[in-house]
Amino acid sequence: MKLYCLSGHPTLPCNVLKFKSTTIMLDCGLDTTAALYFLPLPLVHSPRLSKLPGWVSKDGAINLEKELKECSGRVFVDSQPEFCLPEKELLDLSTIDVILISNYHCMMALPYITEHTGFTGTVYATEPTLQIGRLLMEELVTFMERVPKAQAATCWKNKEIQRYSLQI
């Protein structure tokens, strides 16, 4: 028997249990704490957010004014928020036979697993968990689509840039 932990967040579990020829995923939570590093998505235009100064490294070597904004001594990404999916390099998620969902918080990564990994197994959850989880997912998708960002920022993912921006 082997147990794999695919989540780095203690309250959003995503564990996979391999026992003999059966592979069972226990919950599949989506870590949304990464959204705290992105600028808010205002429903109404905010002059305060649009006038934030762009971030430039202290020595001027790195200039990402279009992607990173500085506010109150912190650096934020000016893009559509991104979330931390469960770890997919530890094992092939298409080999999972069953996914057991314990509550609606622990099913937010389910669409990613069922749509993008080749998963062909069965998902088990109570009806209330399923209904509340569906509402929560639909609300998240609707909100993200209602307030699209003009550009997608990608340069901030460079490890060197992350080191520079954390020094502020």
Side-chain angles (χ1 to χ4, degrees):
M1 180 176 358
K2 286 187 178 183
L3 180 67
Y4 299 92
C5 179
L6 305 182
S7 173
H9 199 284
T11 61
L12 297 168
C14 185
N15 299 305
V16 175
L17 178 68
K18 279 189 163 196
F19 181 70
K20 296 185 182 181
S21 63
T22 305
T23 306
I24 302 169
M25 179 176 276
L26 307 167
D27 290 327
C28 51
L30 181 68
D31 186 359
T32 58
T33 56
L36 296 173
Y37 297 100
F38 290 80
L39 282 178
L41 297 174
L43 293 175
V44 179
H45 176 71
S46 169
R48 182 173 176 222
L49 283 177
S50 61
K51 292 179 182 174
L52 285 175
W55 179 80
V56 179
S57 64
K58 291 179 183 175
D59 60 3
I62 299 176
N63 183 349
L64 289 175
E65 291 186 19
K66 300 258 190 246
E67 290 192 12
L68 301 177
K69 302 290 182 182
E70 193 172 343
C71 180
S72 301
R74 290 194 54 205
V75 178
F76 295 94
V77 180
D78 188 15
S79 179
Q80 199 84 9
E82 296 180 16
F83 305 107
C84 297
L85 296 168
E87 190 66 47
K88 57 185 185 262
E89 278 77 31
L90 282 177
L91 60 113
D92 182 10
L93 298 180
S94 67
T95 63
I96 295 172
D97 301 309
V98 175
I99 299 177
L100 302 175
I101 305 295
S102 64
N103 65 69
Y104 66 92
H105 285 293
C106 297
M107 68 181 282
M108 297 299 285
L110 191 59
Y112 170 77
I113 293 167
T114 59
E115 303 295 320
H116 300 287
T117 64
F119 172 77
T120 58
T122 306
V123 178
Y124 291 102
T126 63
E127 191 63 29
T129 296
L130 184 66
Q131 295 302 323
I132 294 171
R134 179 180 293 137
L135 286 172
L136 195 58
M137 284 187 248
E138 288 172 354
E139 183 179 318
L140 179 63
V141 169
T142 301
F143 179 72
M144 297 297 271
E145 288 174 346
R146 266 181 38 197
V147 191
K149 286 283 190 170
Q151 78 275 359
T154 57
C155 293
W156 66 270
K157 296 177 185 179
N158 182 317
K159 294 292 182 201
E160 282 298 314
I161 293 170
Q162 289 178 4
R163 253 187 251 129
Y164 267 103
S165 64
L166 290 175
Q167 293 174 359
I168 290 180

